Amino acid sequence: MPVEAVAASGGIATAATARAPKQTMDSEVFMHLLVTQLRNQDPSSPMDTNEMIAQTTQLASMEQLTAMAKTDEENFSLQMRIAAAALIGQSVTYTNAEGVSVTGTAKSVSYAGGVPTVNINGEDVLLDQVSGVVDAQAAETPDAPSA
């Protein structure tokens, strides 16, 4: 004889919210640590002011490094967009999913994802999969014989 599960009824259920630990040190964590350190210091031997200034300087340095890293990411993203746009009309080569090298003309670019997508003869290809570029006009015009 099967027994069905019984759900608790009428009681107050408390949902414990799990706090996800931070994986990176940001200025909020740093300030929290500094305030906790100041709160729990020994009144008979307070923290040295030089030490506090050093920690505040570390905080300012960390904030500047974080801002620089964000700027670098934005610059790299912009460079990828410019590079992808420059491919339009060019004859480009990429390796498809089967491992075959394919050459075609870049028709358009999409910036919808994190990495720009280049449309090559109807196939959407991530910019970082493009392995070569040939100027389409140069490929069509044979070199003049040297005299």
Side-chain angles (χ1 to χ4, degrees):
M1 166 182 211
V3 178
E4 293 182 32
V6 178
S9 61
I12 297 176
T14 58
T17 56
R19 188 178 78 83
K22 285 193 173 192
Q23 298 298 319
T24 58
M25 286 257 324
D26 60 1
S27 59
E28 181 183 331
V29 172
F30 193 90
M31 284 300 288
H32 181 70
L33 289 172
L34 183 62
V35 168
T36 301
Q37 183 179 9
L38 289 173
R39 266 192 209 139
N40 296 319
Q41 69 180 337
D42 182 8
S44 62
S45 113
M47 185 163 90
D48 183 23
T49 54
N50 290 333
E51 188 177 331
M52 187 176 355
I53 290 172
Q55 288 182 357
T56 306
T57 303
Q58 287 175 348
L59 171 64
S61 297
M62 184 185 67
E63 287 177 340
Q64 289 300 316
L65 287 172
T66 303
M68 284 175 48
K70 183 177 179 185
T71 301
D72 284 347
E73 282 182 36
E74 291 171 355
N75 285 338
F76 183 69
S77 176
L78 181 59
Q79 287 174 348
M80 284 194 314
R81 288 172 177 245
I82 291 169
L87 293 178
I88 295 176
Q90 303 293 320
S91 178
V92 296
T93 303
Y94 69 95
T95 304
N96 65 11
E98 290 81 35
V100 178
S101 183
V102 179
T103 300
T105 303
K107 301 290 184 187
S108 64
V109 175
S110 171
Y111 302 121
V115 175
T117 304
V118 182
N119 185 289
I120 303 169
N121 294 345
E123 184 73 26
D124 289 332
V125 178
L126 292 174
L127 178 64
D128 54 5
Q129 291 178 329
V130 174
S131 59
V133 181
V134 177
D135 184 5
Q137 293 174 351
E140 293 172 1
T141 309
D143 291 335
S146 44

